Structure formats: structure tokens, C-alpha cells
Amino acid sequence: MTRPKLDFILPTGSRPAVSTWMLTPIDRYAFQWVIQGTWVFDSRLDASTLKHGLARLLDHYPLLAGRVAGGTRIEWSDTGVPFVEETEPTLNVADFDAACVDVARFAHRFSPSRIRRGAAPLMTLKLTHLRDGCVLAICCSHACLDGNGFYTMARNLARAATGAAFPAPVFERRGGETLRRSRWEVARAARQAGWRRVSPLDIVRFAVARPGLHDRAFVAHFSPAALQRCKETLARDAACPRLSTNSALLAHVAHSLAALVGLADRDRFALSVAVDQRGRASSVPEDFAGNAVAIVVTPPIPARADRAAIAARVHACVEPVTNRPSPSLESLAQLTREVVAHRLPWTPLPRNRLGRRRKLFYTNSFARFPVYDLDFGDESRPVRPVRAIPHNLGDPVILWPSPPPVGGLDVYFSGKLARAVSRVARDHPWWTEMRRFDA
């Protein structure tokens, strides 16, 4: 491996007219995570072109060139965004497949605590040249962007590098971040909504159970045909003609998880689903770049429920908040903002036990995000990634888009679920059930 080259990239323009950006309570909560996007190309990307594209991108995302001040705001800085370039001559593109998830070595990544203190930049890029291609890794504080905003930003970087136009992102919600109710009123609303109070023991449990960066396992690939069979089968069996592909797959995965962790007949579990607010909540426009995710939790589901019964529960929970527009999602998002703003110890997530028998399956789907929409070429010669590797945010269950030539979705488990599935023998009937919709 060659010695890394480090440059700091500034926007092409001068200091922006707006040079201070206040962080919402949700943004400050998200400081604990750094999103890492990792793309593998079977062509070489030119570092100079990437640097120029990054400078153009920062003209539209000036806060990404800033530094945190006081833990409550981002202030523009002329220090720049780090860009690292190095060569790894021992690796080929073929060394990366769906199971290759240890990508920390390819990133120039700072800890969340340093970013929050203002001691490190909010964003970094690293380009690693392989023997027959390259790896592009982008890291960004979750306080600035959520998953949709992050992968949209990466797509815009490709457009900026090739000279193409792209829409300017929006970082302000319509109507701002208003607190409509008092602390007492918000606590009562959370209780009435079925949220539970978080205890000190819950905080300890979360810290102990939090998965490490490398605790991830590739579980299964679902082809477009397999996804269609899953949807059609569960929609028919559950009598849910409007059942979405995402809800059907989550129901199937949840059914497999209940068996994986050994839930008893009397046990119940819940499934949490991350829902993008863009275009669904009136305060969040489609081109919003900041944090706009709401967490929806199903009512308790019997451990021995069949796939169709789970699908019906997921559908009943998810459909109201995925309508466009969605008053239900608007109400949920407002309650979440107010709970965080008042620093109230309430959560929509049910209590999760320590140990192997989990009673909450936290899921996150990236199926609709522009994960693969990066093109550093032109119409005559596209230069697109052959693989995008899931980032390490610790979501226990991830639905991840497969490379476009293949299509479909890949399922990954993290943390304790990853370790549990690693102990299942490859000839165990569990794997047959997990892949039952394959042709």
C-alpha cells in the first residue's frame, strides 16, 4: 500500500451568504453516528476530477465544509474537506462481493465525539486504487444528512464531477422546528400514543447490546422474481391486495428471525420500520437533505404467527404512514421532534431483552434510495459502481439494493443477529425457509 496523499478541498466560491446552520434536536441526537458510503468501481476514477467535483458540490452543500460549534450549530470553515488518495495493489474488484462488509480500512473516518466537539470535519472522502479498479468511500456525520440525503448527495457528487447540473438541496423544513406543546403535554401525548418511558437500565442495555462496526452478516439475496413471489403469496394469504414488496419481505424476514433467536410459544415480538418523511409530511419537501426519518413500531406479534399474519400486522402499521400525504406520519414526526427537543425519556420502541432472545427487530430499508445512481462517465462511456457496500450504522436488519445488473434486494443482519445467524449450519432447514421464495 502506498503512503496516503491528503488534500483539503474548499468550495469553488467564496464564503456563503449563510454561514451558520443551527442543528435541530434530532440532528444533535444523530451526532452519535457517522454514515459511510462505499462504492467499488471496475474503472479508475481520476482524483483531480473528483476533487473538482467535490469543490462544486460544496458550493451547494456549504455546511459540509463547516465545523461544529458549541454542539448546537455548524459554522462555515475555510479549513476544507479532507480528500485522501492511496493505492492498494493487492486487491482486485473481484475480491468484493455481497459478503464483503469490512470496509473500515477504505475510509478516512473520524469518531463522532471528535466531530461533535468541532475537532474533526463533518465529511471526508477517500479514493483507493485497486489493481483493476478503485474504491470510493465517503463519510459524513449523521447530524447533517440522513440515509436518503446522504446517497442523494453522493449522486450529486458524481454529477458535479462530470459537469452536470443537479438540484440544490434544502436544509430547512417548511414552517421550521416549532414546539407546539409544553413538556408536560408532550409527555402525556407520548404516553397516549403507546410510547414507553426509558429507564436508566434501558440505557445500560442499549450500550451493552450496541453492535460493533464489523458485526454484520450477509444473509440472503432476493431476486426480482423472488420478491414478486413473496409479495404475491403473502398478499393473497393475508388478504392484503395493497401489500407492498417491502412489507412482504419484512414479514418474511421477521418470521425467520423469530425462529432464529428461539422465541418461545408464549413470547411476542415487535417490528420497527424506518419511514422516510419526504413528500409524506407537509413540512418535509422531496429535496430535503437533513434528517427526516420516523420510526413506526408494530403492535406485539405472537412468536408463532405465520408469515401472512405478520404481513397483515406490518401492512396495517405501515400503510397509514406511507401515504402521500400522510397525516399519521405528520403527527408522529411532530411528536418525535417535541420529545427530543424537551429531552423526554420516552420512546416508541418496546423494551428489548438482553441476550439472544430479542423481542424487537429494528429494520431499515434502502431499497428506494439512489444508492447506485452514481455515474462518473458520460453517455458514451458510463462509469458506475459495480457494488455498493452497506454502511455500518448498526441497524440489526438491513434491506439493501443489489447491483443493478442483478437487481433485487440483499438482506443483512448486524450485531447479535449477525452472530446468531453465523452459528446456523449451512445445511440447517432454517436456510431453506429463509430462501423459500427462490425459484
Side-chain angles (χ1 to χ4, degrees):
M1 181 180 292
T2 62
R3 185 175 181 178
K5 302 176 184 177
L6 174 62
D7 285 328
F8 288 88
I9 310 302
L10 284 166
T12 63
S14 57
R15 184 185 184 94
V18 177
S19 57
T20 299
W21 300 269
M22 299 305 298
L23 295 167
T24 70
I26 295 291
D27 296 334
R28 296 197 293 272
Y29 177 78
F31 262 128
Q32 60 188 302
W33 297 293
V34 172
I35 306 176
Q36 177 182 336
T38 310
W39 294 267
V40 182
F41 295 81
D42 60 3
S43 302
R44 295 187 181 277
L45 299 183
D46 179 69
S48 297
T49 301
L50 269 176
K51 292 175 185 177
H52 176 69
L54 176 57
R56 282 194 64 209
L57 180 84
L58 294 175
D59 289 337
H60 297 275
Y61 290 81
L63 84 169
L64 296 183
R67 298 292 188 274
V68 177
T72 61
R73 66 190 185 278
I74 297 172
E75 293 185 352
W76 190 83
S77 169
D78 60 2
T79 306
V81 169
F83 184 104
V84 177
E85 182 184 9
E86 68 178 10
T87 300
E88 177 53 87
T90 64
L91 291 177
N92 296 312
V93 171
D95 294 323
F96 296 84
D97 58 19
C100 179
V101 294
D102 183 7
V103 294
R105 62 185 291 192
F106 297 103
H108 186 63
R109 184 178 181 128
F110 292 98
S111 69
S113 61
R114 290 193 64 195
I115 294 173
R116 186 169 194 160
R117 297 196 310 269
L122 294 156
M123 178 184 182
T124 65
L125 270 76
K126 183 176 179 180
L127 177 64
T128 303
H129 298 286
L130 310 176
R131 294 176 64 181
D132 57 350
C134 64
V135 177
L136 175 64
I138 305 175
C139 294
C140 186
S141 172
H142 205 328
C144 300
L145 308 169
D146 64 6
N148 193 335
F150 177 83
Y151 288 103
T152 299
M153 178 271 293
R155 178 182 64 188
N156 290 341
L157 171 64
R159 293 177 177 177
T162 57
F166 56 92
V170 174
F171 286 96
E172 297 292 334
R173 291 174 179 267
R174 299 188 184 107
E177 295 281 336
T178 58
L179 290 179
R180 302 172 183 171
R181 294 172 286 194
S182 68
R183 181 183 177 87
W184 179 84
E185 289 173 324
V186 174
R188 183 180 64 177
R191 185 170 56 252
Q192 291 174 343
W195 292 27
R196 70 175 182 87
R197 191 178 183 88
V198 179
S199 68
L201 181 58
D202 291 323
I203 298 174
V204 173
R205 284 172 170 166
F206 175 78
V208 171
R210 189 172 181 176
L213 290 178
H214 308 303
D215 291 334
R216 174 155 300 163
F218 169 72
V219 179
H221 168 69
F222 288 81
S223 67
L227 291 173
Q228 186 65 23
R229 280 189 290 272
C230 179
K231 175 182 177 179
E232 291 176 350
T233 301
L234 296 187
R236 180 189 66 244
D237 295 348
C240 290
R242 295 192 306 274
L243 183 69
S244 69
T245 301
N246 203 68
S247 293
L249 181 57
L250 287 178
H252 170 61
V253 171
H255 183 269
S256 300
L257 283 171
L260 174 69
V261 301
L263 295 182
D265 291 348
R266 66 182 181 277
D267 286 336
R268 292 173 176 265
F269 67 88
L271 197 70
S272 71
V273 181
V275 178
D276 193 343
Q277 300 175 31
R278 291 168 178 81
R280 293 170 175 147
S282 61
S283 62
V284 185
E286 291 283 1
D287 49 1
F288 183 73
N291 288 289
V293 175
I295 304 300
V296 181
V297 185
T298 66
I301 301 171
R304 293 296 177 262
D306 61 23
R307 292 176 180 83
I310 299 174
R313 295 284 185 99
V314 174
H315 175 75
C317 181
V318 170
E319 187 186 39
V321 296
T322 52
N323 292 329
R324 292 176 179 266
S326 172
S328 297
L329 182 62
E330 189 81 59
S331 176
L332 173 62
Q334 179 65 25
L335 177 59
T336 302
R337 290 196 296 269
E338 291 179 319
V339 165
V340 174
H342 285 299
R343 297 185 178 180
L344 290 170
W346 290 86
T347 177
L349 301 177
R351 183 171 284 107
N352 200 12
R353 293 173 55 186
L354 276 175
R356 189 162 170 259
R357 292 182 178 178
R358 301 178 65 90
K359 298 227 179 150
L360 169 66
F361 302 137
Y362 186 101
T363 71
N364 206 348
S365 174
F366 296 82
R368 296 185 179 274
F369 294 171
V371 173
Y372 278 97
D373 291 353
L374 285 70
D375 187 353
F376 290 93
D378 53 36
E379 293 182 359
S380 62
R381 182 180 173 271
V383 179
R384 301 189 179 101
V386 296
R387 183 164 298 282
I389 301 174
H391 50 249
N392 291 319
L393 289 184
D395 300 319
V397 180
I398 289 182
L399 306 185
W400 189 257
S402 306
V406 178
L409 292 172
D410 295 331
V411 177
Y412 290 86
F413 292 167
S414 295
K416 290 182 179 295
L417 295 181
R419 294 192 287 275
V421 79
S422 69
R423 293 190 289 265
V424 181
R426 286 295 159 178
D427 58 352
H428 193 280
W430 186 87
W431 291 105
T432 303
E433 284 297 300
M434 169 60 76
R435 294 163 179 163
R436 66 179 299 162
F437 294 106
D438 285 346

